[in-house]
Amino acid sequence: MSGSTELVSLSSLLNSCITACSSHLRGCEEIIVNNLRESVQRVISHVQNEKESVQAFSEENTLTSECLMSLLTVLGDCDSILCSEILSLFNILALERSPAVLLYGLGALDTLIHLLDEHTHPLQVLNLIGKITKHIKCGAHEERVDRLLTIVTNNVLTNDMTLKPSLYTMVNLTSGSVPVQMHLRSLDRSGMLRKKILKLVCHDDNEVSIGALAALTSTGMADEFNKLISSDKNLDQILRLCFSMIITVCSSETFSYVVDLLIHFLNNKRVQQFLINNDSKLDSFVSKTACLLTKCQGHHLSKLFELLLALASIPTIRILVTRVVFAPVQTSDGEEEELLQRIFSMATKLVSSDHGASVLALKLITYIYESLSVDASQAGSTCHLNFQFLTECLTQNELTHERSCVRSSSADKILASLCLLEVLVTSGAFSSGVLSEIEPSTITDIVDYQLQKNPVAFNWNNKLREEEVGASQSALWSKTGVEIVLKAISVIIEATERNESYTTCLHDYLQKTSLVPFLATGLSSTASSQVQLSLKIITKADSLSLLQTTVLSDVMSSINNRRPHSESPRNTQTLTFDAPLVDDCKLTLRDSLRDNIVLASPGSSPRGDANVIPSSQSCNGDLAERLQHLKVEGDNHMSDIISVYELKLKAQKTKEAHLDDLVQAKTMALSQADRLIHQYKSRLAQVDSESQKLRSIVHESERRSESYREKMNEMLVDRERLHTEMERLLQDSRKLDDTLRTLASVKRELVTLNDIHTTLTQFTDNLKQQHRELESEYSLLKETERKKSLTITEKDTKISELRKNIKKLEEQISQQREENKRLEKSLKEKEEKLKKIFDTLK
């Protein structure tokens, strides 16, 4: 219920967004723009909260395609804020492959290049272009590729704020495309871009350094790259930078480029030897990287598996990876378990939601068990492992999913599971355990599904009309389905030698006519692995006398006849076997098979009689023997059989006539070649005389080129001067931008101050009113105070008179006191006299 609710919610949001876009195209009123902006914001919020809803934006979904097309139409003519909102939505969606492919198909690159020309949000636009070109390889001859290369080259040279996305976009455009690399070199004839990229390797921003290193490896600068890594110090610093950014799990865009860069390094013999010599550092990095498998999700998890696969592809390092995955790790519950068990659980996830991690996990497990099968001591200690997860992987069939990328990934997962199963079956330590876990029906169900549903079988059985067959063959999983059938039959052959319960299955499939188209397609494939598997199955069928030679010959002839005759010889390819076949598969088949099959790739033309399909004498002899055998047995349907074989004889004669025509064509071609050789020799003498003239012309041109070179050097000096002047002007422009921003902030402050001034004016008026009231009160108080001062003056006068009287009284008192003292003194004298008299009388 929750999934359907989310879908309905997203559908309603997209419909409202489409309606708002239509209104915006009819008129750009402010209310319409605001409505569209709100619709885009709601879609952004929904996509950010519901990560799985991003998968709905695919080519198969008409509603999402219409919505993105409407937004792209609006994007070319809208205001800056709305443009930023739409670009934010596109940047979120383009993190996934399906929306990025949809945007590319809707022509988003042309609109984005137009925005770059208009200098509208260049950082957001280049980030979006980088994400789209990461998922989609643009054609080398597209005009927009030329325009994009020019833009990103100028951005890298000017070292502006779009430096990082420009570097990453340059990597996406040039990676694996020699024509684009050559075109980039033509744009950089002066070598300034090469010098700039080498300088950016030492940039302070690690993400810019990674972008410069990725650009160095993707743009075909092999000499500069080899010179850079020739120093152990440089190589050590580069690997440390990559290791640290992977372990710290940087941003999702940069993380992908770091992993791709490190994988590119691992393909270099010099880097491999350096890592092997410094195994202690590598051991720590591999351990930390493997532990990240328990923490990362989505694209980070897929890229980590890609890195571990690249490490495991090096035999010496594979042992280290094997040891690490068997080490215990801490789970979210605080318990410890082997990392391999976590990888098993990751391998069982559905491909529709794991970003390809389950397929990569299966490939890593295959590498690990290949290593264990070689090292018997380690294999013996791990035989107790439960391979039930492999049954779950083999039974997960998402080939009917509505999204084509999921169907393709599901086919890849089934094939990876069969490859792992083959490794386990052929290993002595694991074969018994895995055969006891895997039921024969698990493998037969896979083969039966392909025999019934794969377009290869449809085309042979004529169960669909021609246009339906063509539509079915466009399915991505059908090509992988051929290898799935061949690999499954190969696994059954290996299992038959170790478990007799698979013998019946093998005999049933080798007798089925529906298997023959897959064998014929495998033999005609340019992939050596499919040819080897087909030969292995044919050899086994031949040894069991179950080979359907006639049917296989007819299918091969049909395949050869369907090949376009316009294919040029330069597209032909001879089969080369990059690995020996298994022991029981021999390249020498029975005469009947050798006389009816051509082991050649599509588009190849035979040279000589060794590769010609039929031999009429051997076929006639074979038919005569069979007719004689049938005659002896007394078959009642002799006449019917004779008529059938007569038709086949006519077909063989027709083929022989075609081959005669081919031989005549070759003879004519040889005679034509002789004439051309004669013409070439006469032309060569003429060319020698012309070459003398050309030497003199070249000498003169060299002299002119020298003068031109001097002028070019002067122009380069002027260019450097102009470049310096331009940088100065850019700095002035940035200062002016800062001034404008400051002016805007001052204007905002002025508005605020005006509001404050109005408030203060009102407050001042109130204060004036209060001041007038206080003045009136003050006058009253002043009058009262005057009256009180008069009263106080009168009282002061009285007080002064009283003080005078008090002073007079004090003087009188002092005089009285002096008089008292004098009398007391005279009294004392008299008392003394009396005392003396009394003393005398006594």
Side-chain angles (χ1 to χ4, degrees):
M1 287 295 293
S2 61
S4 60
T5 305
E6 293 170 6
L7 184 60
V8 171
S9 176
L10 179 61
S11 301
S12 61
L13 290 175
L14 295 179
N15 282 321
S16 64
C17 192
I18 293 171
T19 304
C21 288
S22 301
S23 302
H24 184 276
L25 293 175
R26 290 193 296 269
C28 297
E29 290 80 3
E30 184 176 357
I31 186 172
I32 296 176
V33 174
N34 291 333
N35 185 23
L36 177 56
R37 191 181 305 155
E38 291 176 0
S39 299
V40 174
Q41 289 174 350
R42 286 196 295 269
V43 175
I44 291 174
S45 177
H46 181 84
V47 170
Q48 288 177 336
N49 294 331
E50 305 293 340
K51 299 293 184 181
E52 295 181 356
S53 62
V54 178
Q55 301 297 335
F57 291 83
S58 61
E59 295 176 323
E60 291 84 357
N61 194 322
T62 308
L63 181 60
T64 56
S65 301
E66 183 180 357
C67 178
L68 294 185
M69 189 66 217
S70 302
L71 291 174
L72 281 173
T73 306
V74 172
L75 189 62
D77 184 21
C78 63
D79 59 21
S80 178
I81 299 177
L82 179 58
C83 179
S84 177
E85 294 287 346
I86 296 174
L87 288 173
S88 298
L89 173 61
F90 286 172
N91 271 292
I92 295 172
L93 295 176
L95 290 172
E96 300 290 339
R97 176 175 174 79
S98 296
V101 173
L102 178 58
L103 286 171
Y104 178 81
L106 295 174
L109 286 183
D110 296 326
T111 304
L112 296 176
I113 292 173
H114 173 70
L115 292 178
L116 286 177
D117 292 336
E118 298 293 330
H119 302 286
T120 306
H121 303 290
L123 186 59
Q124 283 183 293
V125 171
L126 277 171
N127 279 326
L128 179 56
I129 291 175
K131 292 171 184 175
I132 292 176
T133 54
K134 180 69 175 175
H135 296 291
I136 301 295
K137 285 297 178 185
C138 300
H141 302 291
E142 295 183 24
E143 182 179 353
R144 51 190 169 189
V145 173
D146 184 14
R147 181 71 186 124
L148 274 176
L149 278 178
T150 305
I151 293 173
V152 298
T153 301
N154 292 333
N155 290 343
V156 171
L157 290 175
T158 54
N159 199 16
D160 62 356
M161 63 179 180
T162 60
L163 177 60
K164 185 178 71 173
S166 297
L167 282 171
Y168 289 161
T169 303
M170 182 184 295
V171 172
N172 297 337
L173 293 174
T174 57
S175 179
S177 178
V178 176
V180 178
Q181 294 173 8
M182 294 177 65
H183 181 61
L184 183 63
R185 290 196 200 99
S186 67
L187 294 176
D188 185 39
R189 287 173 181 162
S190 63
M192 293 183 64
L193 178 62
R194 183 178 68 255
K195 295 176 183 177
K196 184 68 174 180
I197 292 176
L198 287 171
K199 184 178 179 181
L200 290 176
V201 172
C202 303
H203 199 274
D204 295 334
D205 189 347
N206 290 339
E207 294 187 353
V208 174
S209 297
I210 291 296
L213 286 168
L216 194 66
T217 58
S218 67
T219 53
M221 302 181 185
D223 295 337
E224 290 79 1
F225 174 71
N226 293 329
K227 184 178 179 181
L228 183 65
I229 66 173
S230 61
S231 170
D232 287 349
K233 183 179 179 181
N234 290 344
L235 185 55
D236 181 63
Q237 290 179 350
I238 292 172
L239 291 176
R240 283 177 182 272
L241 173 63
C242 296
F243 290 168
S244 63
M245 295 192 72
I246 288 174
I247 293 172
T248 55
V249 189
C250 52
S251 62
S252 57
E253 297 89 354
T254 306
F255 188 84
S256 176
Y257 289 101
V258 175
V259 173
D260 292 341
L261 177 62
L262 197 52
I263 291 174
H264 179 84
F265 280 163
L266 291 173
N267 293 329
N268 187 281
K269 298 295 183 182
R270 165 90 172 86
V271 179
Q272 291 180 11
Q273 191 60 40
F274 179 82
L275 290 174
I276 293 171
N277 295 336
N278 297 271
D279 56 348
S280 58
K281 299 178 183 178
L282 183 62
D283 191 358
S284 174
F285 168 69
V286 173
S287 300
K288 293 178 181 178
T289 303
C291 290
L292 289 177
L293 292 175
T294 61
K295 303 175 183 177
C296 295
Q297 294 179 351
H299 291 294
H300 278 84
L301 186 61
S302 300
K303 299 305 290 186
L304 282 175
F305 272 120
E306 288 182 15
L307 178 57
L308 289 174
L309 280 172
L311 289 168
S313 63
I314 305 173
T316 308
I317 303 178
R318 185 186 303 180
I319 300 172
L320 174 61
V321 176
T322 303
R323 186 170 67 250
V324 168
V325 298
F326 278 102
V329 293
Q330 195 82 12
T331 63
S332 57
D333 301 332
E335 300 178 355
E336 287 189 351
E337 68 173 351
E338 287 183 355
L339 181 61
L340 186 61
Q341 298 297 329
R342 300 297 298 271
I343 298 176
F344 286 163
S345 62
M346 295 173 191
T348 58
K349 292 183 178 179
L350 297 175
V351 294
S352 57
S353 60
D354 67 349
H355 301 278
S358 60
V359 179
L360 297 171
L362 284 168
K363 292 181 179 179
L364 180 60
I365 295 170
T366 304
Y367 271 134
I368 292 170
Y369 278 96
E370 281 181 352
S371 178
L372 290 176
S373 62
V374 174
D375 190 351
S377 60
Q378 292 190 26
S381 62
T382 55
C383 285
H384 63 281
L385 291 175
N386 184 9
F387 298 106
Q388 188 62 34
F389 84 96
L390 189 55
T391 303
E392 188 174 350
C393 293
L394 290 169
T395 54
Q396 288 177 354
N397 188 349
E398 295 181 79
L399 296 177
T400 58
H401 199 277
E402 59 183 6
R403 290 166 50 209
S404 60
C405 59
V406 175
R407 296 195 295 270
S408 177
S409 300
S410 179
D412 292 337
K413 183 173 183 179
I414 294 174
L415 181 59
S417 302
L418 289 172
C419 291
L420 173 58
L421 180 59
E422 185 178 35
V423 170
L424 296 174
V425 170
T426 55
S427 173
F430 305 108
S431 59
S432 60
V434 72
L435 290 176
S436 62
E437 291 277 356
I438 305 296
E439 295 292 335
S441 59
T442 304
I443 305 175
T444 57
D445 289 344
I446 295 174
V447 179
D448 292 339
Y449 183 87
Q450 294 293 333
L451 295 181
Q452 296 172 9
K453 302 292 185 179
N454 198 296
V456 173
F458 286 155
N459 194 22
W460 171 246
N461 293 327
N462 296 321
K463 292 182 180 178
L464 294 178
R465 296 191 303 271
E466 184 177 354
E467 59 271 16
E468 294 175 335
V469 172
S472 300
Q473 288 176 338
S474 64
L476 296 176
W477 63 268
S478 62
K479 297 180 180 179
T480 312
V482 175
E483 192 167 358
I484 287 175
V485 172
L486 299 177
K487 179 64 72 172
I489 300 298
S490 175
V491 171
I492 294 175
I493 291 173
E494 295 293 339
T496 303
E497 299 177 358
R498 297 164 177 81
N499 191 336
E500 294 181 355
S501 61
Y502 287 86
T503 305
T504 305
C505 298
L506 177 62
H507 288 194
D508 290 342
Y509 283 124
L510 293 180
Q511 292 175 357
K512 284 185 177 180
T513 308
S514 56
L515 178 64
V516 176
F518 292 89
L519 293 174
T521 305
L523 287 172
S524 303
S525 174
T526 56
S528 61
S529 60
Q530 293 191 22
V531 177
Q532 293 175 34
L533 290 172
S534 299
L535 289 174
K536 177 180 178 180
I537 297 170
I538 291 172
T539 306
K540 185 66 176 178
D542 183 63
S543 65
L544 297 174
S545 300
L546 297 175
L547 182 62
Q548 305 179 55
T549 307
T550 306
V551 180
L552 184 58
S553 174
D554 292 341
V555 178
M556 289 295 298
S557 300
S558 176
I559 291 175
N560 290 330
N561 292 333
R562 285 201 304 269
R563 292 174 184 162
H565 298 288
S566 60
E567 292 183 0
S568 59
R570 74 179 60 182
N571 291 330
T572 61
Q573 179 182 1
T574 303
L575 289 176
T576 57
F577 301 98
D578 54 358
L581 296 176
V582 293
D583 296 337
D584 64 336
C585 182
K586 300 178 177 57
L587 295 177
T588 57
L589 306 178
R590 292 179 64 187
D591 294 339
S592 59
L593 177 61
R594 185 175 62 248
D595 292 336
N596 288 281
I597 299 177
V598 176
L599 298 180
S601 61
S604 62
S605 59
R607 295 186 59 186
D609 297 335
N611 294 330
V612 177
I613 297 177
S615 174
S616 60
Q617 293 179 356
S618 60
C619 289
N620 292 338
D622 186 35
L623 291 177
E625 292 178 2
R626 296 188 184 188
L627 289 172
Q628 184 66 27
H629 177 67
L630 291 172
K631 186 176 181 180
V632 172
E633 292 182 355
D635 195 328
N636 295 328
H637 303 286
M638 188 69 179
S639 60
D640 296 336
I641 295 174
I642 289 174
S643 62
V644 170
Y645 277 114
E646 285 177 350
L647 292 175
K648 290 187 178 292
L649 285 172
K650 291 180 181 179
Q652 294 291 344
K653 289 179 181 179
T654 304
K655 291 179 182 179
E656 188 174 4
H658 289 167
L659 290 171
D660 290 338
D661 295 338
L662 183 60
V663 171
Q664 292 177 5
K666 285 186 176 182
T667 305
M668 294 176 62
L670 288 174
S671 62
Q672 180 68 20
D674 291 336
R675 286 194 297 272
L676 291 174
I677 291 172
H678 178 71
Q679 293 174 3
Y680 170 76
K681 288 179 179 180
S682 61
R683 180 62 180 165
L684 183 61
Q686 184 180 355
V687 168
D688 288 336
S689 61
E690 293 178 355
S691 64
Q692 297 295 333
K693 298 178 182 179
L694 289 175
R695 287 192 187 95
S696 60
I697 296 173
V698 167
H699 181 71
E700 179 65 22
S701 65
E702 286 178 351
R703 186 182 60 79
R704 291 180 180 177
S705 65
E706 187 65 30
S707 62
Y708 289 150
R709 194 175 293 109
E710 293 176 356
K711 292 180 181 179
M712 185 178 291
N713 291 332
E714 295 176 358
M715 293 174 65
L716 288 175
V717 172
D718 293 339
R719 182 178 178 179
E720 289 291 339
R721 180 178 57 78
L722 292 174
H723 181 68
T724 306
E725 182 67 18
M726 184 175 66
E727 287 184 349
R728 186 182 64 78
L729 291 174
L730 286 173
Q731 291 177 358
D732 294 342
S733 176
R734 294 191 189 97
K735 290 180 181 179
L736 288 174
D737 291 339
D738 295 337
T739 304
L740 288 174
R741 286 193 291 270
T742 305
L743 180 60
S745 63
V746 169
K747 287 182 179 179
R748 289 193 296 270
E749 292 178 358
L750 181 60
V751 172
T752 305
L753 289 175
N754 286 333
D755 295 339
I756 295 173
H757 175 70
T758 304
T759 305
L760 290 176
T761 302
Q762 295 175 356
F763 183 69
T764 303
D765 293 339
N766 293 334
L767 287 177
K768 286 181 179 179
Q769 180 67 26
Q770 293 177 3
H771 179 70
R772 285 193 293 270
E773 293 176 356
L774 289 173
E775 279 185 342
S776 62
E777 291 180 1
Y778 177 72
S779 61
L780 293 174
L781 289 174
K782 195 172 182 181
E783 180 67 24
T784 305
E785 185 181 4
R786 187 180 64 79
K787 293 179 180 179
K788 287 183 178 181
S789 64
L790 290 175
T791 306
I792 290 171
T793 304
E794 292 177 355
K795 290 183 179 180
D796 286 341
T797 305
K798 291 181 181 180
I799 288 171
S800 61
E801 291 177 355
L802 289 173
R803 282 179 178 173
K804 290 180 180 178
N805 293 332
I806 289 171
K807 189 174 182 180
K808 288 180 181 180
L809 290 173
E810 286 179 348
E811 290 178 353
Q812 292 175 2
I813 291 170
S814 62
Q815 291 177 359
Q816 186 67 34
R817 284 179 180 173
E818 289 178 355
E819 183 66 24
N820 289 336
K821 287 181 180 179
R822 188 179 63 77
L823 292 175
E824 285 179 355
K825 187 176 181 182
S826 63
L827 180 60
K828 285 182 180 180
E829 290 177 352
K830 287 181 179 182
E831 284 180 351
E832 290 178 351
K833 289 180 179 181
L834 286 175
K835 188 176 179 180
K836 289 179 180 180
I837 294 173
F838 281 126
D839 291 336
T840 307
L841 290 178
K842 287 179 180 181

